[in-house]
Amino acid sequence: MTIPQFNALTVSLDAGVTLVEASAGTGKTFAITRLVLRFLLERRVERLSQLLVVTFTERATQELVTRIRIALREAHDVFRGVITEQTPANAELFTLAATHDSAGAAILAGALAELDGLSVSTIHGFCQRLLRESALESRVAFASTLLEHPGIPLGRAVRDWTRARVVPAPSAAALLGKDDPVGWMRSLLTPTLRAPDRKIALPADPATEAPALLADYVERASEAFHEHKRARHLFEFDDLLQQVHRILKEEGSDGALAQHVRQRYRAALIDEFQDTDPVQFPIFATAFTGCPLFLIGDPKQSIYGFRGADINSYLEAAAGAARRYTLMENYRSVAPLVAAVEALFTRVDEPFCYPRVRIDYPKVRAAQSAAPPAALAVRTQGAFVWQWFGPDLAPENARPKHTINKTLGLAMVVRETVQEIARLNADGLPLGSIAVLVRKNQEGEAMRKALVAAGLPAVVNGTEDVLESDEALELARIALAVAEPKNGAALRSALATRLWGASFAEVAATVDDATSRALEELSEQCVRARDLWALRGPAPALAELLHRRGSAPRILAASEGERRWTNVRHCLELLQDAWREDAIPPDAIPSWMAAECEQAAPERRELRLESDASAVQVLTIHKAKGLQWPVVFCPTLWTGPFESKEILDVEWVHLRENGTPVLDLGSEKLGERRSARTFEDRAEQQRLAYVALTRAQFRCYVAWGVFNKAVDSPLAHLMGAPDRDALRAFVATEKKTMTMVEAPTRVAPSTAPVAAGATSLLPPRTLPALTGRFHTWRSTSFTSITRDSHGWEGRELDDPVALLPAAARPADVPGFRGFVAGTEAGNALHALFETHDFRTAPTEEAVRAVLEEHNITPPKDGRWSVADVVAMVERTCAATIPDSTLSLARIAPDSTLREWRFALPVGGARPRDLAHALSTHGSAVAQAYAPRLAALKDDDLTGYLNGSIDLALRDDGRWWIIDWKSNWLGAADTDYERAPVEAAMIESHYVLQYHLYALALHRYLRTRQRDYDPATHWGGVAYVFLRGVDGTSERGWFRDCPSPALLDALDAAVAAR
Amino acid sequence: DHSPRAPSIVLDELLDHCEARTVGARAAMVVQHPLQPFSPRYHDGRDPRLWRYETEATPIASPGAPPGATRSVNAVRTLSLTQLVTFWSHPAKWYCNEVLRFWLPSDLDVGSDDETLVLDQMEHGIARANLLQRALAGGAIAEDALRERMIAHGALGPGALGAAQLTAISAEVTEAIAGIDPAARRAPVEVRLHGAQWELSGSLDGIFGDVRYIVRGNSLAADRHIRALVEHLVMCAAAEQPGATVPTRTLIRYGKNGKRLELVLERVAGAMQVLEQWIDALAAATVAPPAFFPAAGIAWYETITSEKKGAGDPYAKALDAFEREGFKGADGDAFDPYVRTLFRDDVSLSTHRGEFERLASLLFSPFNTRAGARR
């Protein structure tokens, strides 16, 4: 089938679908600008804003706006006679000017004046705007928020499914074995997650229940994920498309939404249409019924299958187009290169796997007449250079038919690429003119490292995660030293970082000398940094530390310094953002990083370019789409597709059938579907190869050889199995355009593959994350529930002293009440009670030692002394707890649980449920507190609630919970009477705290205490405000005893909903 | 996506307008700031419009002292068997923990507050190791009370999931110890060895009759493999003591996916002499980080002891193991955080090849006989 050539000046602008196929480099953006001019000049649209231009990425929208603006201005100048010289590039403008009368200039002037109204957007942007502008027609909630991290609720949905479906079912649990459903998310769940019409095909007679279990997994986890979004008015970009598609499908082309679109826009130009999907085309086709709709794309460049692009949707739309054209002139590459690529892609009948009638390789003419850079003429080579890698490169591969394993092969192609780039650079070619295109980020990082090691600046434009870099790990180590500035091991760990830069001799010297200057210096700086962290955040704190150390100039002067220092700055920004959101303390940095790394890296975590200096660009083929360079290297087109693995011994496959996503878990059609999927994967990798091979303007290098599994690669589809003679014969037939270079033989890469340090395959980012043990998002704590309710984010609840005006601070009061304030003081007092035998009096030495451990020394003015602390402990132990007969002085250590940690399983508790229980069954204080609890952020808790009870004890068969409080309630005795103490309990949410503690102990006793009955076995709860206890009165004490009914009600409130 | 952003239409129009009036106005008005604040362009003075308050990058320092050596060797060294094992099985970690005395965040027990549902590889390994110990000691491994206790401790998932996990692990354990008679188990042997300048103490468990068993329910990781070799040599050295009744044979049994493999280590002659050399190596390694890497080492060792014809070049295999990348993280030595910490300026095997091969020879040569290691 011959498709007519596209001519922007003559193509019909009538209503209906016009398809324009634009091979790589044939100037489709240029064609779009000419169409825009014609739509304006021929009054098909009254104003520029009535024209909708849609493209694939934000970056492409910016480029299109600029190109359209330049075209309008240039045309305006031609129409006005400002430009009189005709060139091939502006010839069409002169033709237009000759066709249109003087009114044309006025139209263009008007368009220039309203350039801001030009609608160039991505399809998601278009749908978002449409839904916003027509909120009533589209029936969407007004206050919706974009879901930024879908991985978090999705992971949560999967774990909830595991809990609900597997935990109680022995057969499902036995099937699960060591598999982790969270690990199936990406492969099994995500491809159909956002497709409500998904179809799951199951075997008719399954041998096990595994297929049904997996189907249940996909259905339920998907539903839970969407329910999460619905309940919170969250949306994803794909939801916008689905919503618009659904309404248009329901209402048809005469519906309110379609009419709204057509009132707003009279015509649409859809760029990059090959990356469409089953939802996108129907949206445009319905909304623009009766309007001109131009679809511009190239099926040979459809490479975004992993994002949902569906080549069959494109092909179906193409088949139904009223008019179809192709662009036939290549403005990017020189003629020999165009000819070479054509020779390669026309070696086989179906270069893109599909029949040519569906995806053809149309012949294009080279319109590029620019002369190649002089550097490329230094050595005579064709425009298309084959780098051949034969089996005789490695001694152990000496047998002729032996293949080169992948690791070795990558090392070899990296080395050859680096050496050739070095030669080109020596010939005078600027490094910025060169790009290396790879399939995977890891390959890119290996390439970049090798180039840098060879003294050739290179930058990676990829998706590496900065939080997995060495620098992130080092900052975490320094943060731990900031968290514990007196901890020698933490300090040494920080000293030994590259960022701090101490030599190992210096670090080792601190082991035997605790007073070493290096350790002291870092310790003092960490103390200051800790304060700064609390006040202003991690970025200023860590930056100050590194600045004092002079880290920046030292790192920048070292190898890869710019890369490393860019990572440091990037990490600091991320840490500061995290601190702003969650007041993240220094000791939580490792766990925060680990939790973050478990989510797919968003764009803000991608490695940033470290330099704008001339450097080799290393990037994935996907990122290279739409871009061009004078010289391009394609070193890894010999690698094959990635294969999916069985899950629970179930063979499965994902694919689209007639636009519907299908997950086949072993039906009778599995084999057929697997073949179809393999075909689609291979077809897409052919298109990927086409994109890679068409980026160069003057020269393209391709590595090919007897690599292991190269027969599955896109090059093998075109060239057949790797064969030196076959390649040589092919190059001989194309000798005007191609050259074959055999990589130097007998290099013995097995013994010195990295001899120049240039081909190490070690991406620095691939450090293992700080292990999953740290990740915390499914657990919560009392503090996190109440965090939003007070204005002093991140402070410990035990430290409200810091909030008080200076005039009322403890420093003014003598005796123990004037004991130092702060978290450390609280920790010291807890430590005292944690180890103390209540039946004995503590010694001054023991108390002093504990205080010193926490860096607390009595004031020189004698305001309080160690003796005061000893007396306080004695008073507290001797006192009888109000409204009871309990005195700590008679409690033996073996009747106590100290710092008892618990993890309370909760299944969907909400603050208002707990508040209801308190107001219905609680004491007077609990009832008074209930409204405050009900007002907390109503986010449900599912998972585990963590906590630590200072002291649980058993006295005469009854259990008590005791909590030590170092809070400062005031200077006077009356400040510690019952009323102010109760007020403090309510104000600080301690009422919630002790009820949760009581519930944890209640559940514990229920499983451990024989014949447990709360009415018999419960003593109560006592909170001891240590600054107020006088040993003779109730002052300083708060006491309550949650009733059995309340405990049951709380239990029910936190049980699974 | 790291590409330059076009200015807004209004700004672009303004600049075009200025350029149309005065040639060169656009270039004069637009200041192109370097991408990074430490760019040399801020400091080279070529464009006076480029300046910054931040001066941290102005002075370019020398790269700083290399990590370098640490301290001299102790005259007399007292060490435990655990230290010797760690030195060989994870030298970088040993150096950080024992010489520099620090731990990386991944090793610090910050307490897991994550609920256990599915056991990760480490949790599974710990549970299996504990059950193996219990089974070898003759204890039951499938009883309800044990399961409930493990679930309560978070060693297994809740409910039926925990039961299924225990069943699976128990099966692995049963398979691993099949044929070993718990009744033949001997009490752990206390080892006390003395060299010219060292004392080594520790205990060896897992002795059944006249064979010491190392049983792994899964694949034999590099560090575990090395540990077995080191302990075997120590056992052989202990057997050289007068009146010793220590066995001199180790049988390493491991398996994966139902396959069981056994590796027999026979008596090493002159074990005390080897031990002398090993401890000399350990002492020397307190001065500078030892360039020995377990995964690379085992690959090297397996190649030289392989009975396959044309097993390949041991260094090439070592390099492959050193750089091998696994799924989500990696299993090659080069990805180990301790290795990356110690060799922070050059994480490559080629730089340290000589030292690596010297230490590999020292460690493995006592076992380097094709007949000595059979499967």
Side-chain angles (χ1 to χ4, degrees):
Chain A
M1 182 180 70
T2 305
I3 302 174
Q5 182 175 356
F6 176 79
N7 184 330
L9 299 185
T10 59
V11 66
S12 167
L13 301 186
D14 290 344
V17 175
T18 305
L19 182 81
V20 183
E21 291 195 352
S23 294
T26 51
K28 66 181 166 57
T29 308
F30 186 82
I32 289 172
T33 63
R34 293 322 185 238
L35 287 173
V36 170
L37 290 176
R38 278 194 61 207
F39 269 108
L40 285 168
L41 291 168
E42 295 177 21
R43 310 305 288 168
R44 302 290 179 137
V45 296
E46 298 291 326
R47 297 185 305 280
L48 198 56
S49 57
Q50 290 175 335
L51 195 58
L52 173 68
V53 184
V54 172
T55 188
F56 195 59
T57 62
E58 285 292 340
R59 180 181 157 276
T61 63
Q62 292 169 13
E63 189 190 337
L64 259 178
V65 168
T66 305
R67 294 284 295 272
I68 291 172
R69 188 186 71 78
I70 290 169
L72 280 170
R73 178 156 297 287
E74 197 179 359
H76 188 229
D77 288 346
V78 170
F79 274 59
R80 287 190 302 147
V82 176
I83 295 176
T84 55
E85 187 183 347
Q86 189 170 338
T87 65
N90 66 15
E92 287 172 340
L93 301 182
F94 280 89
T95 310
L96 283 173
T99 313
H100 296 277
D101 55 23
S102 57
I107 291 171
L108 294 174
L112 279 169
E114 58 145 5
L115 260 173
D116 266 349
L118 177 63
S119 290
V120 180
S121 60
T122 60
I123 184 162
H124 296 110
F126 164 68
C127 290
Q128 191 173 16
R129 195 166 62 227
L130 187 61
L131 295 174
R132 200 173 53 231
E133 287 176 355
S134 53
L136 294 176
E137 293 96 325
S138 60
R139 290 166 265 158
V140 293
F142 284 102
S144 295
T145 312
L146 177 68
L147 174 61
E148 286 192 57
H149 302 294
I152 294 173
L154 193 56
R156 179 177 174 156
V158 167
R159 293 177 77 85
D160 285 347
W161 174 84
T162 313
R163 236 178 261 113
R165 180 72 177 84
V166 183
V167 167
S171 58
L175 272 175
L176 201 64
K178 283 190 267 182
D179 275 286
D180 185 354
V182 173
W184 311 334
M185 273 172 22
R186 191 167 172 180
S187 56
L188 205 59
L189 187 54
T190 312
T192 58
L193 180 67
R194 295 164 182 95
D197 59 341
R198 84 178 72 82
K199 181 179 160 190
I200 299 180
L202 292 166
D205 187 18
T208 69
E209 71 170 272
L213 187 70
L214 294 179
D216 185 68
Y217 164 81
V218 172
E219 295 284 11
R220 289 207 198 191
S222 301
E223 178 52 33
F225 174 67
H226 293 302
E227 178 54 36
H228 174 90
K229 288 193 293 181
R230 273 195 293 274
R232 290 161 180 78
H233 295 300
L234 299 169
F235 71 89
E236 296 179 283
F237 282 128
D238 276 355
D239 296 332
L240 301 173
L241 263 71
Q242 296 284 357
Q243 177 75 354
V244 171
H245 179 240
R246 191 163 50 245
I247 296 168
L248 288 173
K249 194 174 171 186
E250 282 172 13
E251 297 181 346
S253 60
D254 293 328
L257 191 61
Q259 288 189 25
H260 173 88
V261 173
R262 291 197 294 273
Q263 282 165 6
R264 176 89 163 75
Y265 305 106
R266 300 289 163 80
L269 305 174
I270 315 300
D271 188 20
E272 304 285 7
F273 185 66
Q274 71 279 355
D275 294 315
T276 190
D277 64 27
V279 171
Q280 293 180 15
F281 177 64
I283 288 177
F284 292 116
T286 310
F288 286 91
T289 302
C291 294
L293 175 61
F294 275 78
L295 309 175
I296 302 114
D298 181 6
K300 304 188 294 302
Q301 298 186 67
S302 175
I303 57 174
Y304 286 105
F306 70 93
R307 286 191 199 163
D310 177 27
I311 186 68
N312 289 302
S313 298
Y314 171 90
L315 295 174
E316 280 166 28
R323 294 168 289 276
R324 193 166 174 179
Y325 301 96
T326 183
L327 288 163
M328 303 196 72
E329 292 203 320
N330 185 320
Y331 297 94
R332 173 179 298 153
S333 307
V334 291
L337 198 48
V338 171
V341 173
E342 183 179 303
L344 180 60
F345 277 89
T346 50
R347 272 174 66 87
V348 291
D349 283 342
E350 293 173 356
F352 297 100
C353 300
Y354 283 87
R356 277 186 177 246
V357 69
R358 303 198 79 192
I359 304 184
D360 195 9
Y361 186 91
K363 294 199 172 192
V364 292
R365 293 184 297 276
Q368 166 69 274
S369 57
L376 293 183
V378 174
R379 287 172 297 129
T380 308
Q381 278 185 322
F384 196 101
V385 181
W386 291 96
Q387 295 174 302
W388 173 258
F389 294 83
D392 50 353
L393 291 171
E396 77 261 36
N397 291 329
R399 282 174 294 169
K401 290 190 178 175
H402 213 108
T403 54
I404 305 168
N405 75 46
K406 190 172 175 183
T407 309
L408 193 58
L410 283 171
M412 290 160 75
V413 296
V414 166
R415 182 197 59 208
E416 283 306 305
T417 304
V418 170
Q419 290 182 355
E420 183 60 17
I421 289 174
R423 282 192 284 267
L424 289 170
N425 191 230
D427 291 343
L429 188 72
L431 294 175
S433 306
I434 302 170
V436 182
L437 308 186
V438 292
R439 306 252 330 238
K440 291 164 65 181
N441 289 317
Q442 289 94 327
E443 295 167 7
E445 191 54 39
M447 185 64 73
R448 186 194 66 81
K449 278 200 74 174
L451 285 162
V452 170
L456 301 165
V459 290
V460 167
N461 189 341
T463 54
E464 304 292 299
D465 186 351
V466 72
L467 288 185
E468 294 186 22
S469 65
D470 285 349
E471 287 69 41
L473 183 60
E474 291 204 341
L475 283 172
R477 287 161 59 188
I478 295 175
L480 288 178
V482 170
E484 293 187 68
K486 300 293 178 193
N487 179 332
L491 291 171
R492 278 190 290 276
S493 175
L495 280 175
T497 57
R498 188 192 282 111
L499 290 176
W500 195 259
S503 72
F504 295 149
E506 287 178 87
V507 180
T510 68
V511 175
D512 299 326
D513 178 11
T515 60
S516 89
R517 207 171 144 269
L519 214 57
E520 284 279 312
E521 181 194 5
L522 178 58
S523 175
E524 285 168 13
Q525 293 189 27
C526 284
V527 170
R528 280 198 296 274
R530 192 174 59 176
D531 295 341
L532 197 56
W533 188 303
L535 282 173
R536 292 174 53 204
L542 295 174
E544 168 80 4
L545 262 179
L546 298 177
H547 176 70
R548 284 173 176 273
R549 178 66 181 175
S551 299
R554 182 168 38 77
I555 297 289
L556 285 166
S559 166
E560 298 204 51
E562 290 187 336
R563 173 74 269 147
R564 294 185 191 289
W565 198 245
T566 302
N567 288 352
V568 170
R569 297 178 61 91
H570 191 171
C571 287
L572 291 181
E573 277 181 34
L574 294 173
L575 290 177
Q576 188 71 7
D577 287 346
W579 181 80
R580 268 195 218 107
E581 283 177 21
D582 297 325
I584 185 169
D587 58 342
I589 293 301
S591 54
W592 175 80
M593 284 185 177
E596 286 285 304
C597 288
E598 290 200 351
Q599 309 298 326
E603 197 172 302
R604 64 188 171 84
R605 296 212 320 254
E606 288 176 13
L607 288 190
R608 293 174 178 167
L609 285 184
E610 66 269 35
S611 169
D612 47 4
S614 179
V616 177
Q617 301 280 318
V618 182
L619 64 172
T620 61
I621 300 170
H622 285 99
K623 287 258 180 187
K625 190 160 172 292
L627 304 177
Q628 62 183 42
W629 294 268
V631 176
V632 169
F633 284 80
C634 303
T636 56
L637 289 182
W638 49 270
T639 53
F642 312 112
E643 293 170 358
S644 59
K645 291 181 180 169
E646 292 178 2
I647 296 177
L648 301 187
D649 293 329
V650 173
E651 284 191 51
W652 59 276
V653 67
H654 266 301
L655 80 166
R656 282 181 192 275
E657 280 181 353
N658 303 319
T660 304
V662 176
L663 169 62
D664 193 316
L665 293 166
S667 79
E668 70 280 4
K669 286 188 172 179
L670 178 70
E672 192 185 315
R673 286 178 170 138
R674 185 177 284 284
S675 302
R677 177 61 202 234
T678 304
F679 173 83
E680 294 295 346
D681 289 345
R682 286 180 181 273
E684 180 157 315
Q685 70 170 7
Q686 291 311 117
R687 302 194 290 269
L688 207 57
Y690 174 78
V691 170
L693 295 170
T694 51
R695 298 304 101 195
Q697 291 171 273
F698 302 107
R699 187 177 291 169
C700 180
Y701 289 84
V702 180
W704 184 229
V706 289
F707 302 109
N708 191 22
K709 293 193 177 175
V711 288
D712 296 326
S713 69
L715 281 181
H717 181 73
L718 302 172
M719 295 293 298
D723 183 326
R724 184 199 320 236
D725 295 337
L727 178 62
R728 192 174 283 153
F730 176 51
V731 171
T733 62
E734 304 292 331
K735 59 186 173 191
K736 288 186 180 170
T737 62
M738 289 185 181
T739 302
M740 176 177 168
V741 178
E742 296 199 39
T745 54
R746 300 294 169 196
V747 169
S750 64
T751 52
V754 289
T759 55
S760 173
L761 292 169
L762 305 178
R765 70 151 205 109
T766 43
L767 265 182
L770 300 170
T771 84
R773 289 185 297 132
F774 295 114
H775 101 91
T776 58
W777 70 268
R778 290 295 292 142
S779 297
T780 189
S781 64
F782 160 70
T783 312
S784 70
I785 300 172
T786 57
R787 178 180 294 137
D788 290 340
S789 67
H790 36 73
W792 29 292
E793 290 182 7
R795 284 192 185 280
E796 286 294 318
L797 286 167
D798 279 351
D799 186 27
V801 166
L803 298 174
L804 299 173
R809 293 176 74 84
D812 306 323
V813 184
F816 177 74
R817 192 165 295 164
F819 186 71
V820 289
T823 308
E824 204 60 0
N827 292 342
L829 295 176
H830 277 81
L832 272 180
F833 283 103
E834 188 181 351
T835 52
H836 177 53
D837 182 346
F838 302 131
R839 298 171 302 181
T840 61
T843 63
E844 285 205 14
E845 289 75 13
V847 171
R848 183 175 286 111
V850 171
L851 295 180
E852 280 174 2
E853 261 182 43
H854 291 81
N855 302 314
I856 295 170
T857 47
K860 287 180 182 161
D861 61 9
R863 198 178 71 253
W864 65 266
S865 64
V866 172
D868 288 327
V869 181
V870 171
M872 178 277 294
V873 175
E874 284 182 315
R875 277 198 306 274
T876 305
C877 294
T880 302
I881 295 179
D883 304 332
S884 78
T885 57
L886 173 63
S887 168
L888 292 176
R890 67 162 185 261
I891 303 299
D894 60 3
S895 294
T896 63
L897 294 169
R898 314 219 185 177
E899 294 294 329
W900 183 64
R901 293 190 64 181
F902 64 83
L904 187 66
V906 293
R910 292 174 301 189
R912 63 177 175 211
D913 299 334
L914 298 171
H916 179 71
L918 293 187
S919 61
T920 310
H921 303 287
S923 64
V925 173
Q927 288 180 13
Y929 169 71
R932 186 164 157 72
L933 174 59
L936 286 183
K937 193 170 146 190
D938 203 2
D939 200 352
D940 64 352
L941 308 169
T942 304
Y944 281 76
L945 186 71
N946 297 310
S948 168
I949 295 176
D950 289 349
L951 172 65
L953 63 87
R954 190 176 56 194
D955 176 48
D956 197 19
R958 287 178 178 270
W959 282 87
W960 287 78
I961 289 172
I962 312 286
D963 206 272
W964 318 113
K965 293 295 175 198
S966 60
N967 299 41
W968 163 264
L969 301 184
D973 286 347
T974 52
D975 293 330
Y976 296 86
E977 302 276 19
R978 182 186 286 247
V981 162
E982 287 182 356
M985 292 293 293
I986 291 172
E987 175 61 25
S988 302
H989 295 282
Y990 292 153
V991 180
L992 171 62
Q993 189 183 42
Y994 77 73
H995 280 98
L996 293 174
Y997 287 178
L999 177 59
L1001 190 60
H1002 172 64
R1003 285 189 174 183
Y1004 176 74
L1005 293 175
R1006 205 163 54 192
T1007 58
R1008 296 300 177 98
Q1009 171 90 39
R1010 189 184 296 275
D1011 304 326
Y1012 170 68
D1013 175 8
T1016 311
H1017 294 111
W1018 261 94
V1021 174
Y1023 271 50
V1024 195
F1025 289 78
L1026 297 167
R1027 291 177 200 271
V1029 173
D1030 59 18
T1032 55
S1033 72
E1034 298 186 359
R1035 285 194 196 110
W1037 290 93
F1038 170 84
R1039 183 179 178 262
D1040 191 8
C1041 184
S1043 66
L1046 175 56
L1047 291 171
D1048 286 340
L1050 288 170
D1051 199 11
V1054 301
R1057 278 195 286 142
Chain B
D1 62 358
H2 298 151
S3 58
R5 287 207 156 192
S8 73
I9 289 175
V10 176
L11 186 58
D12 227 12
E13 281 287 290
L14 174 66
L15 291 170
D16 274 359
H17 179 76
C18 296
E19 181 73 20
R21 295 297 173 98
T22 312
V23 174
R26 191 178 179 112
M29 291 170 71
V30 176
V31 179
Q32 291 202 344
H33 281 273
L35 195 60
Q36 297 292 350
F38 48 75
S39 168
R41 279 176 55 206
Y42 274 116
H43 310 297
D44 63 14
R46 287 186 207 167
D47 187 343
R49 296 175 301 175
L50 292 180
W51 58 276
R52 293 182 56 78
Y53 288 111
E54 185 181 291
T55 55
E56 63 176 3
T58 310
I60 297 299
S62 63
T70 52
R71 57 183 172 174
S72 59
V73 184
N74 289 346
V76 175
R77 175 165 287 274
T78 305
L79 74 160
S80 67
L81 178 55
T82 307
Q83 285 173 312
L84 182 68
V85 164
T86 312
F87 168 70
W88 284 112
S89 60
H90 199 158
K93 186 172 189 300
W94 170 85
Y95 190 82
C96 288
N97 296 171
E98 297 291 331
V99 180
L100 302 184
R101 304 291 297 164
F102 71 80
W103 289 259
L104 293 182
S106 52
D107 274 353
L108 298 177
D109 182 14
V110 297
S112 170
D113 46 10
D114 189 11
E115 64 199 312
T116 303
L117 277 177
V118 176
L119 304 183
D120 62 25
Q121 202 174 351
M122 190 173 71
E123 290 164 337
H124 186 94
I126 291 171
R128 189 178 50 222
N130 289 337
L131 287 179
L132 258 175
Q133 285 300 315
R134 188 180 169 90
L136 284 170
I141 55 173
E143 58 186 29
D144 290 347
L146 175 68
R147 187 189 69 236
E148 283 170 18
R149 201 160 57 244
M150 289 178 77
I151 291 174
H153 286 165
L156 296 174
L161 201 49
Q165 287 158 353
L166 182 62
T167 304
I169 298 172
S170 299
E172 289 171 14
V173 168
T174 306
E175 159 68 21
I177 63 169
I180 301 176
D181 177 13
R185 181 180 185 129
R186 289 167 58 181
V189 172
E190 296 302 319
V191 174
R192 293 271 181 279
L193 295 170
H194 301 270
Q197 291 194 310
W198 53 267
E199 296 166 12
L200 176 73
S201 60
S203 79
L204 292 165
D205 201 358
I207 298 170
F208 293 77
D210 60 352
V211 177
R212 179 164 191 257
Y213 279 92
I214 309 276
V215 186
R216 306 288 301 158
N218 208 323
S219 59
L220 189 60
D223 60 334
R224 290 287 172 169
H225 195 164
I226 292 175
R227 176 179 171 167
L229 296 176
V230 172
E231 288 177 347
H232 175 73
L233 186 110
V234 169
M235 194 167 72
C236 292
E240 291 177 5
Q241 304 277 326
T245 57
V246 185
T248 56
R249 195 158 172 264
T250 296
L251 197 148
I252 308 172
R253 178 183 281 193
Y254 60 102
K256 195 176 182 182
N257 302 329
K259 293 178 188 167
R260 202 171 73 190
L261 299 166
E262 286 187 346
L263 186 63
V264 184
L265 298 175
E266 300 289 1
R267 181 181 192 124
V268 175
M272 273 304 281
Q273 282 179 316
V274 176
L275 207 50
E276 284 280 0
Q277 293 173 331
W278 282 7
I279 291 171
D280 283 349
L282 182 145
T286 58
V287 178
F292 179 72
F293 312 98
I298 285 294
W300 189 91
Y301 167 60
E302 288 187 334
T303 312
I304 59 173
T305 55
S306 172
E307 293 172 6
K308 283 187 201 163
K309 199 177 172 187
D313 173 11
Y315 177 72
K317 299 287 182 190
L319 181 67
D320 194 28
F322 184 82
E323 297 190 340
R324 185 186 303 131
E325 191 183 350
F327 173 72
K328 206 162 172 42
D331 47 12
D333 301 303
F335 301 94
D336 182 277
Y338 280 103
V339 171
R340 295 188 79 82
T341 294
L342 287 186
F343 300 93
R344 61 196 189 197
D345 291 332
D346 185 10
V347 190
S348 72
L349 189 60
S350 59
T351 310
H352 309 286
R353 179 175 175 178
E355 179 66 358
F356 167 76
E357 291 188 328
R358 186 185 72 78
L359 289 171
S361 299
L362 181 59
L363 172 63
F364 296 119
S365 57
F367 315 101
N368 183 14
T369 55
R370 288 176 199 276
R374 66 172 185 270
R375 289 173 191 212

